[in-house]
PDB file of all heavy atoms in Angstrom:
ATOM      1  N   LEU A 209     -20.356  23.203  14.270  1.00 96.00           N
ATOM      2  CA  LEU A 209     -19.019  23.432  14.827  1.00 96.00           C
ATOM      3  C   LEU A 209     -17.984  22.590  14.096  1.00 96.00           C
ATOM      4  O   LEU A 209     -16.898  23.072  13.722  1.00 96.00           O
ATOM      5  CB  LEU A 209     -19.033  23.074  16.319  1.00 96.00           C
ATOM      6  CG  LEU A 209     -17.686  23.133  17.012  1.00 96.00           C
ATOM      7  CD1 LEU A 209     -17.205  24.572  17.081  1.00 96.00           C
ATOM      8  CD2 LEU A 209     -17.773  22.540  18.392  1.00 96.00           C
ATOM      9  N   ILE A 210     -18.327  21.312  13.849  1.00 95.00           N
ATOM     10  CA  ILE A 210     -17.378  20.431  13.143  1.00 95.00           C
ATOM     11  C   ILE A 210     -17.124  20.949  11.737  1.00 95.00           C
ATOM     12  O   ILE A 210     -15.984  20.972  11.258  1.00 95.00           O
ATOM     13  CB  ILE A 210     -17.934  18.995  13.108  1.00 95.00           C
ATOM     14  CG1 ILE A 210     -18.017  18.433  14.531  1.00 95.00           C
ATOM     15  CG2 ILE A 210     -17.061  18.101  12.258  1.00 95.00           C
ATOM     16  CD1 ILE A 210     -18.906  17.233  14.643  1.00 95.00           C
ATOM     17  N   GLY A 211     -18.205  21.411  11.107  1.00 95.00           N
ATOM     18  CA  GLY A 211     -18.041  21.978   9.774  1.00 95.00           C
ATOM     19  C   GLY A 211     -17.107  23.175   9.789  1.00 95.00           C
ATOM     20  O   GLY A 211     -16.244  23.323   8.918  1.00 95.00           O
ATOM     21  N   PHE A 212     -17.251  23.992  10.833  1.00 96.00           N
ATOM     22  CA  PHE A 212     -16.373  25.154  10.952  1.00 96.00           C
ATOM     23  C   PHE A 212     -14.922  24.718  11.142  1.00 96.00           C
ATOM     24  O   PHE A 212     -13.998  25.282  10.525  1.00 96.00           O
ATOM     25  CB  PHE A 212     -16.844  26.016  12.119  1.00 96.00           C
ATOM     26  CG  PHE A 212     -16.111  27.319  12.211  1.00 96.00           C
ATOM     27  CD1 PHE A 212     -16.443  28.375  11.366  1.00 96.00           C
ATOM     28  CD2 PHE A 212     -15.075  27.479  13.102  1.00 96.00           C
ATOM     29  CE1 PHE A 212     -15.755  29.563  11.429  1.00 96.00           C
ATOM     30  CE2 PHE A 212     -14.381  28.667  13.172  1.00 96.00           C
ATOM     31  CZ  PHE A 212     -14.716  29.714  12.332  1.00 96.00           C
ATOM     32  N   LEU A 213     -14.724  23.697  11.982  1.00 96.00           N
ATOM     33  CA  LEU A 213     -13.354  23.209  12.203  1.00 96.00           C
ATOM     34  C   LEU A 213     -12.758  22.687  10.904  1.00 96.00           C
ATOM     35  O   LEU A 213     -11.593  22.941  10.587  1.00 96.00           O
ATOM     36  CB  LEU A 213     -13.353  22.100  13.257  1.00 96.00           C
ATOM     37  CG  LEU A 213     -13.505  22.534  14.710  1.00 96.00           C
ATOM     38  CD1 LEU A 213     -13.603  21.327  15.615  1.00 96.00           C
ATOM     39  CD2 LEU A 213     -12.307  23.366  15.128  1.00 96.00           C
ATOM     40  N   PHE A 214     -13.553  21.941  10.138  1.00 96.00           N
ATOM     41  CA  PHE A 214     -13.049  21.403   8.870  1.00 96.00           C
ATOM     42  C   PHE A 214     -12.696  22.554   7.921  1.00 96.00           C
ATOM     43  O   PHE A 214     -11.660  22.510   7.250  1.00 96.00           O
ATOM     44  CB  PHE A 214     -14.108  20.495   8.220  1.00 96.00           C
ATOM     45  CG  PHE A 214     -13.998  19.062   8.641  1.00 96.00           C
ATOM     46  CD1 PHE A 214     -14.183  18.694   9.962  1.00 96.00           C
ATOM     47  CD2 PHE A 214     -13.702  18.072   7.724  1.00 96.00           C
ATOM     48  CE1 PHE A 214     -14.082  17.376  10.354  1.00 96.00           C
ATOM     49  CE2 PHE A 214     -13.594  16.748   8.110  1.00 96.00           C
ATOM     50  CZ  PHE A 214     -13.782  16.399   9.425  1.00 96.00           C
ATOM     51  N   MET A 215     -13.559  23.575   7.929  1.00 96.00           N
ATOM     52  CA  MET A 215     -13.302  24.711   7.050  1.00 96.00           C
ATOM     53  C   MET A 215     -11.986  25.394   7.440  1.00 96.00           C
ATOM     54  O   MET A 215     -11.129  25.663   6.584  1.00 96.00           O
ATOM     55  CB  MET A 215     -14.466  25.696   7.164  1.00 96.00           C
ATOM     56  CG  MET A 215     -14.384  26.874   6.257  1.00 96.00           C
ATOM     57  SD  MET A 215     -15.557  28.134   6.761  1.00 96.00           S
ATOM     58  CE  MET A 215     -14.701  28.885   8.119  1.00 96.00           C
ATOM     59  N   ALA A 216     -11.840  25.638   8.730  1.00 96.00           N
ATOM     60  CA  ALA A 216     -10.614  26.289   9.194  1.00 96.00           C
ATOM     61  C   ALA A 216      -9.396  25.430   8.853  1.00 96.00           C
ATOM     62  O   ALA A 216      -8.348  25.947   8.426  1.00 96.00           O
ATOM     63  CB  ALA A 216     -10.695  26.520  10.700  1.00 96.00           C
ATOM     64  N   ALA A 217      -9.538  24.116   9.017  1.00 96.00           N
ATOM     65  CA  ALA A 217      -8.418  23.220   8.736  1.00 96.00           C
ATOM     66  C   ALA A 217      -8.027  23.291   7.264  1.00 96.00           C
ATOM     67  O   ALA A 217      -6.840  23.375   6.930  1.00 96.00           O
ATOM     68  CB  ALA A 217      -8.792  21.800   9.119  1.00 96.00           C
ATOM     69  N   VAL A 218      -9.020  23.269   6.392  1.00 96.00           N
ATOM     70  CA  VAL A 218      -8.722  23.310   4.960  1.00 96.00           C
ATOM     71  C   VAL A 218      -8.036  24.627   4.612  1.00 96.00           C
ATOM     72  O   VAL A 218      -7.043  24.659   3.882  1.00 96.00           O
ATOM     73  CB  VAL A 218     -10.018  23.121   4.136  1.00 96.00           C
ATOM     74  CG1 VAL A 218      -9.760  23.414   2.674  1.00 96.00           C
ATOM     75  CG2 VAL A 218     -10.519  21.717   4.293  1.00 96.00           C
ATOM     76  N   TYR A 219      -8.556  25.723   5.210  1.00 96.00           N
ATOM     77  CA  TYR A 219      -7.945  27.024   4.936  1.00 96.00           C
ATOM     78  C   TYR A 219      -6.488  27.039   5.386  1.00 96.00           C
ATOM     79  O   TYR A 219      -5.593  27.485   4.641  1.00 96.00           O
ATOM     80  CB  TYR A 219      -8.745  28.127   5.651  1.00 96.00           C
ATOM     81  CG  TYR A 219      -8.114  29.480   5.524  1.00 96.00           C
ATOM     82  CD1 TYR A 219      -8.150  30.163   4.321  1.00 96.00           C
ATOM     83  CD2 TYR A 219      -7.449  30.060   6.598  1.00 96.00           C
ATOM     84  CE1 TYR A 219      -7.559  31.389   4.187  1.00 96.00           C
ATOM     85  CE2 TYR A 219      -6.848  31.292   6.479  1.00 96.00           C
ATOM     86  CZ  TYR A 219      -6.905  31.953   5.269  1.00 96.00           C
ATOM     87  OH  TYR A 219      -6.302  33.168   5.136  1.00 96.00           O
ATOM     88  N   LEU A 220      -6.239  26.539   6.605  1.00 96.00           N
ATOM     89  CA  LEU A 220      -4.867  26.567   7.122  1.00 96.00           C
ATOM     90  C   LEU A 220      -3.951  25.677   6.294  1.00 96.00           C
ATOM     91  O   LEU A 220      -2.788  26.005   6.053  1.00 96.00           O
ATOM     92  CB  LEU A 220      -4.856  26.115   8.583  1.00 96.00           C
ATOM     93  CG  LEU A 220      -5.345  27.143   9.590  1.00 96.00           C
ATOM     94  CD1 LEU A 220      -5.534  26.507  10.945  1.00 96.00           C
ATOM     95  CD2 LEU A 220      -4.330  28.271   9.691  1.00 96.00           C
ATOM     96  N   MET A 221      -4.477  24.528   5.862  1.00 94.00           N
ATOM     97  CA  MET A 221      -3.610  23.604   5.130  1.00 94.00           C
ATOM     98  C   MET A 221      -3.289  24.089   3.725  1.00 94.00           C
ATOM     99  O   MET A 221      -2.347  23.605   3.107  1.00 94.00           O
ATOM    100  CB  MET A 221      -4.255  22.223   5.070  1.00 94.00           C
ATOM    101  CG  MET A 221      -4.131  21.515   6.412  1.00 94.00           C
ATOM    102  SD  MET A 221      -4.643  19.826   6.377  1.00 94.00           S
ATOM    103  CE  MET A 221      -6.324  19.977   5.970  1.00 94.00           C
ATOM    104  N   LEU A 222      -4.088  25.035   3.228  1.00 94.00           N
ATOM    105  CA  LEU A 222      -3.790  25.566   1.897  1.00 94.00           C
ATOM    106  C   LEU A 222      -2.857  26.766   1.955  1.00 94.00           C
ATOM    107  O   LEU A 222      -2.570  27.377   0.935  1.00 94.00           O
ATOM    108  CB  LEU A 222      -5.093  25.962   1.194  1.00 94.00           C
ATOM    109  CG  LEU A 222      -5.972  24.786   0.769  1.00 94.00           C
ATOM    110  CD1 LEU A 222      -7.288  25.292   0.238  1.00 94.00           C
ATOM    111  CD2 LEU A 222      -5.280  23.943  -0.261  1.00 94.00           C
ATOM    112  N   SER A 223      -2.375  27.121   3.168  1.00 93.00           N
ATOM    113  CA  SER A 223      -1.514  28.295   3.266  1.00 93.00           C
ATOM    114  C   SER A 223      -0.061  27.906   3.019  1.00 93.00           C
ATOM    115  O   SER A 223       0.272  26.740   2.846  1.00 93.00           O
ATOM    116  CB  SER A 223      -1.680  28.943   4.633  1.00 93.00           C
ATOM    117  OG  SER A 223      -1.350  28.013   5.625  1.00 93.00           O
ATOM    118  N   LYS A 224       0.815  28.906   3.005  1.00 91.00           N
ATOM    119  CA  LYS A 224       2.184  28.653   2.561  1.00 91.00           C
ATOM    120  C   LYS A 224       3.123  28.230   3.679  1.00 91.00           C
ATOM    121  O   LYS A 224       4.102  27.543   3.445  1.00 91.00           O
ATOM    122  CB  LYS A 224       2.737  29.924   1.920  1.00 91.00           C
ATOM    123  CG  LYS A 224       2.197  30.141   0.536  1.00 91.00           C
ATOM    124  CD  LYS A 224       2.757  31.407  -0.054  1.00 91.00           C
ATOM    125  CE  LYS A 224       2.103  31.687  -1.393  1.00 91.00           C
ATOM    126  NZ  LYS A 224       2.460  33.019  -1.869  1.00 91.00           N
ATOM    127  N   SER A 225       2.832  28.695   4.904  1.00 93.00           N
ATOM    128  CA  SER A 225       3.763  28.403   5.986  1.00 93.00           C
ATOM    129  C   SER A 225       3.541  26.982   6.508  1.00 93.00           C
ATOM    130  O   SER A 225       2.406  26.547   6.725  1.00 93.00           O
ATOM    131  CB  SER A 225       3.567  29.417   7.107  1.00 93.00           C
ATOM    132  OG  SER A 225       4.004  28.876   8.309  1.00 93.00           O
ATOM    133  N   LEU A 226       4.642  26.274   6.725  1.00 93.00           N
ATOM    134  CA  LEU A 226       4.548  24.878   7.145  1.00 93.00           C
ATOM    135  C   LEU A 226       3.892  24.754   8.508  1.00 93.00           C
ATOM    136  O   LEU A 226       3.122  23.825   8.764  1.00 93.00           O
ATOM    137  CB  LEU A 226       5.963  24.274   7.173  1.00 93.00           C
ATOM    138  CG  LEU A 226       6.071  22.781   7.374  1.00 93.00           C
ATOM    139  CD1 LEU A 226       5.194  22.064   6.382  1.00 93.00           C
ATOM    140  CD2 LEU A 226       7.491  22.343   7.188  1.00 93.00           C
ATOM    141  N   LEU A 227       4.181  25.705   9.405  1.00 93.00           N
ATOM    142  CA  LEU A 227       3.610  25.622  10.744  1.00 93.00           C
ATOM    143  C   LEU A 227       2.089  25.782  10.714  1.00 93.00           C
ATOM    144  O   LEU A 227       1.364  25.087  11.426  1.00 93.00           O
ATOM    145  CB  LEU A 227       4.236  26.700  11.625  1.00 93.00           C
ATOM    146  CG  LEU A 227       4.350  26.330  13.100  1.00 93.00           C
ATOM    147  CD1 LEU A 227       5.071  25.002  13.249  1.00 93.00           C
ATOM    148  CD2 LEU A 227       5.096  27.392  13.853  1.00 93.00           C
ATOM    149  N   ARG A 228       1.608  26.673   9.860  1.00 95.00           N
ATOM    150  CA  ARG A 228       0.162  26.810   9.701  1.00 95.00           C
ATOM    151  C   ARG A 228      -0.450  25.503   9.210  1.00 95.00           C
ATOM    152  O   ARG A 228      -1.546  25.121   9.628  1.00 95.00           O
ATOM    153  CB  ARG A 228      -0.154  27.895   8.679  1.00 95.00           C
ATOM    154  CG  ARG A 228      -0.172  29.289   9.228  1.00 95.00           C
ATOM    155  CD  ARG A 228      -0.127  30.251   8.059  1.00 95.00           C
ATOM    156  NE  ARG A 228      -0.316  31.616   8.507  1.00 95.00           N
ATOM    157  CZ  ARG A 228      -1.485  32.228   8.478  1.00 95.00           C
ATOM    158  NH1 ARG A 228      -2.545  31.624   8.019  1.00 95.00           N
ATOM    159  NH2 ARG A 228      -1.587  33.463   8.916  1.00 95.00           N
TER     160      ARG A 228
END
Side-chain angles (χ1 to χ4, degrees):
Chain A
L209 174 68
I210 295 163
F212 187 78
L213 284 175
F214 270 63
M215 184 194 79
V218 170
Y219 175 73
L220 284 169
M221 284 188 297
L222 289 173
S223 59
K224 283 180 185 170
S225 156
L226 189 52
L227 211 53
R228 276 165 173 263

